[in-house]
Amino acid sequence: MAQSRRDFIKKAAALSAASYLGMSLPIDPRNIARANEGVIWHRGSCRLCGVGCRVELGVKDGTPMGIRGVAESRTNFGYICMKGMHFWKCMRHPDRLTKPLYRKKKTDKFQEISWDKALDIAATEFATAHKEGGGRAVAYYGSGQALTEETYFFQKIMRAGLQSNNVEGNPRLCMASAVGGYLTSFGADEPIGSYSDLEKAHCFFIVGSNTAEAHPVLFRRIMRRKLDNPDTVKVINVDPRISQTSRIADIHLQFKPGTDLALLNAMAHVIVEEKLYDEKFLKNYATFRKGKNVATSFADFKAHLAQYTPEAAAKKCGGSFTADDLRTVARWFATSKGTMSLWSMGLNQRKQGVWANNLMHNLHILTGQLLKDGADSLSLTGQPNACGGVREGGGLCHILPGHRLVVKEKLRNEVEAAWGVPAGRIPPKPGLHTMAMFSAINEAKIKAIWINCTSPVQSLPNCNLYNKGMDREDVFIVTTDIFPTLTTQKSNLVLPTSFHFEKTGVFGCTERRSQITKKAIDSPGDAMPEVWIIREWARKLAEKMNDPVITQCIVPFDGLEEDYELPMAIWNEYTQKLTAKRDNDLRGATYEVLEQMADGVQWPAPTAEYALTGGTVKKFVKGRDPMADTESKNDLPYQFYGPAHADRTLWIWHRDQADPDEIPDAEYPFYLSTGRIIDHWHTMSMTGRIPELLRANPYAYVEVNPKDAERLGIKPGDMVEVKSRRGVNQLPAKVYEGPIEGMVFVYWHDQHKDRMINKVTKDAIDPGSKEPEFKICAVQIKRLSGPQPLRPYIV
Amino acid sequence: MPISGVIITSTPEHLDEVLSELQQFPQVEVHGADEKANIVAVLDTTSSEEMETIIDRINKDEKVLNVGVTYLNTEDEAEQMAQGEKLPKPFGFRKPQ
Ligand code: SF4
């Protein structure tokens, strides 16, 4: 019987899924070949979150038509999630930006202009701003979604060309506290271990992270580990909100928002009191600190913990778990054969974000649940290239490429020498961090800003306040993006860029892993890769400012075509010159090597030969990390050679519980927390354009605990007002046993002016990491009416 | 008319229940299940929207822990797009009222 093409495809789909389980189906494998006729599969990374899943984009006659996972990849073993399955569809969407658009005044209508004109305008505006106010008057605000080559190249032009350290990016809003935590606890940014610990862990401690929805493919690995070992593997979920992640948990500790530092200190209290710590590990590798880096002792630490009894913590946390629950959790954590902690924004987006990270690391250092298989303290990243591009490539105001601090002259000089620009060219002071940058825009102290691949109009906390500045006519805004966003609506110049798979470059995911995605299809219209845009803009800047140093910044890249040669030359400059002998040594991870690997390379990877093995799975371990051997200072097996701790020890910190910036009171009696849903991602400019994702959750809603709902007379679907001291939203209610009593929860992806929750959130920041406290503020809740027909909205 | 290959994982004690629930969906073809409660299925729908609705419904089932996609083919829609045919507009694209 003749088979239709659909039959071949269905059989290929069944075989694909069955092959993952080693299940054999009575289907002829030749169906796969028939289904693949005319299709070219291009390997790359998923664009939609920090897990870094490897995928293949199917292209038929120049059009993307399908996606499949890469089974041999150690990030996802071939699985993808609902977001990953659809992201490619926005590539051919009719709303893509395809022409440069310009308007002199923000109230004018946009006009299409040529690239030459557009870059001329961008160069003139930056040159003028620079003339008036020097490097302080210009800024770049980038993204954890930009390729490493893009972030690196932008910051090079800003720092060496325009002599400005006003280089920031949206990872400040999500990852900065994790960076601060790693640096102050371990002396080096980014996790010590890898995802491969998931299959070896015996205890999972998941805190402040809805992994099931935010990182579904990793959740699958945790779930598999638990289901395969139901009696020996424990899953602990610690969160004010019960979520899908709790489904596999042995125990869920629900705590009052902002009390987690007390909870973590109480766990340390139990570990110390019951002598569950690893004495030898502490003796060899740890020291104690308090306040501003004052050395203390184990005895001091013990005395400091005295107040954090499990009883006191259970009370402080709201009374929904007992002191004995907390003891059980601390014992599981300390005594398992390998404990892995995972967290994301719940710990980071806090006024005490760095401290919360320190307390998490404290537990691992105390118990020696680090450096061995199945044990790690792993912060999960939200964006695909927050680690690789922004943290490693110099994308924040205080750091230069290769984890170098701006304030250190020697390190600045190294960068200047690598770039061939005069010593002293890079300003010695860090630039403005994100919230300070947008405050400076409010005051028009910054006159020209380049916003790349992100939408601060929607994503900044207390956004009403900062949107005023972006409306100012004396602040020139240029944005590079693939779709119109609320931020392009406040721009003077909008430049259309190539999307993922329309250009070549590298992403570095959560586990220190760099992976390349090569160009597979052409960009629509006149959209161009950012690396080309930066080079051509810098060329015009050099002319207008008559500055040969700016020319020097682009000399190595002159004449290279933009789809492959140019990004490769940028990657080579960055990795060979600026990561050499740094802790993120990527010299071995050349394009040639990355293209051979199913799943990229984990740094440090100093040589190509080593990189071809996959790189370093565990940092700091002799025999497993080449730098632990080359940087070794004694006979011990672990060597903490990170740049921030000259004493080469792990630091255990005294960090006290402290309340969030705003806590509920009589006037604003509820906690508000915000987060992400499985179908949508960040500001929805991509996922909102994919009908399936949008229809599944057309608009944001507010989750209300059933007890609170009953008290306030709120029924499912009713319209509810959520009001803070800063702004107000009107949203439909979901009455749900998710948030703890006294707390409401809102997803933050909706672009509609009535449902944009960042109008309500608070812009208090962590004094160390400068990351805002998105997760906690105080609000009023009021029922407005019964259910109303609502319309989804995207720009 | 998209086709996908998926692995649906249920809580082990509910495998049979989940299997019989999946039979209710004419768009879901179950090809087998293993002792670890992994179910191999093919989803064949008339539109991407329908595909999404079904995955979402399966995902939200309390007895289901994870739906992992391994393969997705939407070449019919891609062809329509390539020929300039407009896909139904997603929600949105509307200015605030
Ligand atoms: S988990 Fe993240 S990287 Fe993986 S497929 Fe889903 S969105 Fe993409």
Side-chain angles (χ1 to χ4, degrees):
Chain A
M1 197 176 77
Q3 288 193 77
S4 71
R5 180 159 174 76
R6 292 190 66 72
D7 290 328
F8 295 135
I9 296 170
K10 280 170 80 168
K11 286 175 179 162
L15 286 169
S16 145
S19 70
Y20 286 60
L21 304 177
M23 188 187 286
S24 55
L25 299 180
I27 297 176
D28 187 340
R30 278 175 295 190
N31 282 284
I32 296 180
R34 299 296 299 270
N36 274 340
E37 273 168 15
V39 181
I40 303 172
W41 293 95
H42 298 268
R43 191 165 282 190
S45 297
C46 173
R47 167 72 171 72
L48 288 183
C49 91
V51 175
C53 296
R54 283 302 261 182
V55 297
E56 286 180 330
L57 179 75
V59 178
K60 203 174 172 187
D61 304 325
T63 305
M65 49 56 70
I67 197 144
R68 64 185 187 192
V70 174
E72 52 289 17
S73 157
R74 282 162 285 192
T75 49
N76 57 328
F77 298 105
Y79 289 96
I80 49 180
C81 75
M82 206 145 85
K83 273 181 302 190
M85 168 176 160
H86 286 296
F87 84 90
W88 58 276
K89 274 196 200 161
C90 54
M91 291 168 143
R92 286 292 179 264
H93 197 278
D95 269 13
R96 278 290 295 272
L97 292 165
T98 56
K99 299 263 183 218
L101 303 171
Y102 175 65
R103 56 187 177 185
K104 197 162 172 41
K105 285 176 67 186
K106 289 172 183 160
T107 45
D108 291 346
K109 276 209 151 122
F110 278 117
Q111 306 287 333
E112 286 182 6
I113 57 170
S114 68
W115 270 111
D116 189 57
K117 184 99 196 292
L119 294 166
D120 209 69
I121 293 166
T124 306
E125 293 287 349
F126 273 74
T128 310
H130 192 272
K131 203 168 168 193
E132 282 175 27
R136 292 209 187 106
V138 293
Y140 166 75
Y141 186 67
S143 168
Q145 298 151 57
L147 293 163
T148 301
E149 293 81 345
E150 296 162 0
T151 299
Y152 169 80
F153 199 10
F154 260 124
Q155 64 86 40
K156 180 181 182 187
I157 303 302
M158 291 300 297
R159 296 185 201 274
L162 289 166
Q163 295 189 275
S164 174
N165 285 322
N166 284 343
V167 172
E168 272 285 292
N170 56 15
R172 176 71 74 187
L173 306 180
C174 58
M175 297 306 307
S177 299
V179 176
Y182 279 127
L183 283 170
T184 48
S185 288
F186 300 159
D189 189 19
E190 304 198 41
I192 293 173
S194 300
Y195 300 156
S196 59
D197 288 309
L198 295 170
E199 279 76 27
K200 295 172 190 137
H202 291 264
C203 176
F204 292 98
F205 187 81
I206 305 173
V207 54
S209 160
N210 179 4
T211 322
E213 293 200 68
H215 300 96
V217 170
L218 288 185
F219 178 74
R220 190 185 166 81
R221 292 175 66 168
I222 301 167
M223 169 205 83
R224 213 41 288 159
R225 176 76 182 153
K226 170 69 186 164
L227 292 189
D228 292 347
N229 306 278
D231 302 326
T232 52
V233 170
K234 301 285 186 211
V235 178
I236 304 159
N237 195 190
V238 180
D239 207 293
R241 178 168 168 261
I242 293 184
S243 68
Q244 281 201 28
T245 306
S246 327
R247 281 185 196 169
I248 59 159
D250 293 275
I251 189 165
H252 186 117
L253 301 187
Q254 212 176 3
F255 62 88
K256 219 166 78 185
T259 59
D260 41 358
L261 281 83
L263 191 153
L264 295 169
N265 272 325
M267 283 177 68
H269 176 103
V270 174
I271 288 165
V272 169
E273 285 300 318
E274 300 190 4
K275 298 199 167 36
L276 301 174
Y277 49 87
D278 183 336
E279 211 165 337
K280 195 169 155 214
F281 187 88
L282 288 178
K283 185 169 155 280
N284 284 340
Y285 303 112
T287 51
F288 295 82
R289 292 283 187 289
K290 77 172 170 197
K292 271 199 179 259
N293 196 1
V294 178
T296 66
S297 65
F298 181 78
D300 290 340
F301 181 64
K302 190 174 171 185
H304 159 80
L305 289 176
Q307 56 180 309
Y308 295 99
T309 61
E311 284 73 17
K315 190 162 166 239
K316 174 83 187 166
C317 292
S320 59
F321 58 85
T322 66
D324 279 340
D325 290 337
L326 204 140
R327 284 192 182 92
T328 304
V329 163
R331 288 173 196 144
W332 285 353
F333 187 110
T335 59
S336 97
K337 281 190 240 156
T339 296
M340 197 168 180
S341 299
L342 301 136
W343 70 94
S344 47
M345 299 313 122
L347 288 195
N348 295 343
Q349 288 178 335
R350 298 281 309 287
K351 200 175 161 201
Q352 287 81 26
V354 175
W355 287 24
N357 275 263
N358 287 145
L359 291 182
M360 199 62 255
H361 300 318
N362 274 3
L363 296 178
H364 284 271
I365 304 171
L366 275 174
T367 55
Q369 293 284 12
L370 267 182
L371 301 129
K372 59 184 183 185
D373 282 339
D376 199 35
S377 193
L378 186 94
S379 135
L380 297 169
T381 351
Q383 303 188 80
N385 203 26
C387 292
V390 177
R391 281 158 79 167
E392 296 158 26
L396 294 172
C397 65
H398 65 297
I399 48 169
L400 300 167
H403 291 154
R404 289 175 172 88
L405 287 177
V406 166
V407 288
K408 302 228 162 146
E409 186 177 12
K410 181 174 160 277
L411 300 179
R412 284 198 311 278
N413 291 159
E414 284 172 13
V415 177
E416 287 154 347
W419 290 342
V421 301
R425 181 77 185 184
I426 300 173
K429 273 198 181 158
L432 299 174
H433 61 80
T434 295
M435 299 315 294
M437 184 179 272
F438 286 93
S439 299
I441 287 173
N442 272 351
E443 294 165 32
K445 286 184 180 152
I446 288 175
K447 299 277 182 203
I449 179 167
W450 194 308
I451 298 172
N452 180 35
C453 193
T454 185
S455 185
V457 167
Q458 187 180 355
S459 59
L460 294 176
N462 190 13
C463 60
N464 280 341
L465 176 65
Y466 301 98
N467 290 349
K468 286 190 199 123
M470 287 186 265
D471 278 330
R472 290 182 74 126
E473 289 296 351
D474 52 354
V475 175
F476 174 82
I477 300 181
V478 47
T479 43
T480 21
D481 217 315
I482 62 163
F483 281 126
T485 64
L486 291 172
T487 303
T488 62
Q489 286 185 340
K490 295 196 187 295
S491 304
N492 300 88
L493 183 63
V494 179
L495 304 177
T497 61
S498 305
F499 187 53
H500 202 47
F501 282 102
E502 294 168 0
K503 59 188 177 186
T504 300
V506 177
F507 277 160
C509 72
T510 295
E511 56 164 0
R512 298 176 280 104
R513 184 182 291 282
S514 296
Q515 307 186 102
I516 193 169
T517 302
K518 281 169 68 182
K519 178 179 172 175
I521 59 168
D522 289 329
S523 313
D526 293 343
M528 290 299 285
E530 283 90 329
V531 285
W532 176 88
I533 298 171
I534 305 163
R535 183 183 65 189
E536 299 312 311
W537 167 64
R539 195 188 306 285
K540 286 182 185 280
L541 262 182
E543 260 169 48
K544 290 188 196 297
M545 294 173 68
N546 192 20
D547 186 343
V549 179
I550 303 180
T551 309
Q552 175 58 31
C553 293
I554 57 167
V555 161
F557 312 127
D558 243 344
L560 301 175
E561 62 78 26
E562 62 273 7
D563 291 334
Y564 185 82
E565 287 174 10
L566 176 57
M568 181 166 74
I570 297 169
W571 178 254
N572 282 344
E573 176 181 293
Y574 161 58
T575 55
Q576 305 308 312
K577 293 188 175 173
L578 288 161
T579 72
K581 299 210 160 73
R582 301 298 299 170
D583 67 338
N584 69 323
D585 198 328
L586 276 159
R587 279 173 297 166
T590 59
Y591 270 22
E592 199 188 344
V593 167
L594 293 175
E595 284 171 45
Q596 288 174 57
M597 304 294 294
D599 51 9
V601 172
Q602 289 181 280
W603 57 257
T607 66
E609 195 190 5
Y610 179 68
L612 281 167
T613 66
T616 300
V617 175
K618 280 273 179 202
K619 270 197 303 187
F620 304 142
V621 181
K622 280 186 189 168
R624 301 185 76 182
D625 169 357
M627 289 188 70
D629 291 303
T630 54
E631 301 287 315
S632 175
K633 293 273 193 261
N634 55 37
D635 293 338
L636 293 169
Y638 306 142
Q639 297 291 326
F640 302 103
Y641 55 78
H645 289 185
D647 69 353
R648 293 177 157 241
T649 64
L650 304 172
W651 293 0
I652 291 181
W653 285 94
H654 300 208
R655 299 294 200 202
D656 272 314
Q657 161 66 27
D659 284 335
D661 201 67
E662 194 176 59
I663 46 175
D665 53 19
E667 203 183 343
Y668 294 90
F670 281 85
Y671 283 107
L672 165 73
S673 191
T674 64
R676 192 190 292 187
I677 192 169
I678 192 164
D679 310 349
H680 288 298
W681 196 61
H682 291 185
T683 60
M684 223 170 69
S685 69
M686 287 187 294
T687 51
R689 284 191 163 75
I690 302 166
E692 298 78 3
L693 297 187
L694 191 56
R695 280 174 207 191
N697 286 285
Y699 30 72
Y701 45 78
V702 52
E703 289 181 1
V704 187
N705 183 288
K707 287 194 191 127
D708 293 325
E710 201 188 327
R711 251 185 322 115
L712 298 171
I714 295 169
K715 301 219 163 36
D718 282 358
M719 291 303 292
V720 168
E721 182 180 271
V722 179
K723 188 173 168 190
S724 72
R725 292 180 175 87
R726 296 153 296 278
V728 62
N729 269 209
Q730 293 167 359
L731 307 128
K734 182 171 170 185
V735 177
Y736 173 55
E737 200 67 67
I740 196 169
E741 211 182 329
M743 163 186 163
V744 295
F745 180 90
V746 179
Y747 291 107
W748 73 278
H749 55 261
D750 203 316
Q751 297 185 352
H752 193 283
K753 62 177 175 39
D754 295 338
R755 300 187 294 269
M756 207 196 287
I757 198 63
N758 277 332
K759 290 182 169 182
V760 182
T761 53
K762 187 145 180 27
D763 50 353
I765 56 172
D766 180 300
S769 69
K770 319 291 182 202
E771 177 165 345
E773 188 161 55
F774 282 98
K775 284 289 171 195
I776 304 176
C777 70
V779 292
Q780 299 170 353
I781 304 295
K782 189 168 87 188
R783 182 182 178 276
L784 291 175
S785 70
Q788 297 289 323
L790 292 175
R791 294 194 170 179
Y793 170 75
I794 49 178
V795 176
Chain B
M1 299 218 282
I3 294 170
S4 68
V6 301
I7 294 171
I8 301 161
T9 307
S10 82
T11 42
E13 60 276 22
H14 296 115
L15 175 63
D16 291 337
E17 256 174 89
V18 171
L19 280 169
S20 73
E21 278 171 24
L22 290 174
Q23 274 179 10
Q24 315 297 315
F25 294 100
Q27 306 89 337
V28 180
E29 232 173 58
V30 171
H31 283 260
D34 67 11
E35 70 292 347
K36 294 178 169 180
N38 290 307
I39 301 164
V40 170
V42 170
L43 273 51
D44 179 357
T45 57
T46 49
S47 67
S48 295
E49 185 190 359
E50 193 185 352
M51 169 83 67
E52 185 63 23
T53 310
I54 288 173
I55 294 189
D56 200 42
R57 275 178 61 187
I58 299 172
N59 231 339
K60 294 220 156 85
D61 187 325
E62 286 273 317
K63 299 180 286 300
V64 169
L65 292 174
N66 185 272
V67 180
V69 182
T70 66
Y71 176 93
L72 173 78
N73 184 307
T74 58
E75 61 184 43
D76 295 348
E77 280 180 338
E79 212 165 288
Q80 288 169 7
M81 260 198 258
Q83 285 166 4
E85 203 175 303
K86 284 219 166 145
L87 290 178
K89 269 201 166 184
F91 281 122
F93 302 101
R94 298 174 186 131
K95 299 298 155 201
Q97 308 288 309

